[in-house]
Amino acid sequence: MLFCINGEGIRIGPSGIYEIRNSNYKIHFLGAIPQISIDSTGKKGYDSFIIDYQYD
């Protein structure tokens, strides 16, 4: 899955986890581009994802 944080593209790996450990990093923009998936019946849809964050 492709994410964009402050204008920088970030591709999330197979683990599905991306963590910013620098508490001084300020995020002004977060965007996500879900992948298109096809279920067992052939119907197209978008993959699900969860964003877990802490707001200060």
Side-chain angles (χ1 to χ4, degrees):
M1 180 175 289
L2 184 61
F3 276 85
C4 180
I5 298 176
N6 293 346
E8 294 290 326
I10 298 169
R11 189 167 297 277
I12 306 299
S15 71
I17 298 172
Y18 185 83
E19 183 176 355
I20 299 174
R21 295 178 182 244
N22 182 349
S23 62
N24 295 323
Y25 190 79
K26 303 271 188 229
I27 297 176
H28 303 285
F29 175 83
L30 175 66
I33 304 170
Q35 295 178 351
I36 295 175
S37 61
I38 300 174
D39 67 11
S40 60
T41 65
K43 185 177 177 184
K44 290 184 181 179
Y46 291 100
D47 288 351
S48 300
F49 63 94
I50 296 172
I51 297 176
D52 184 19
Y53 67 94
Q54 180 178 346
Y55 184 81
D56 290 332

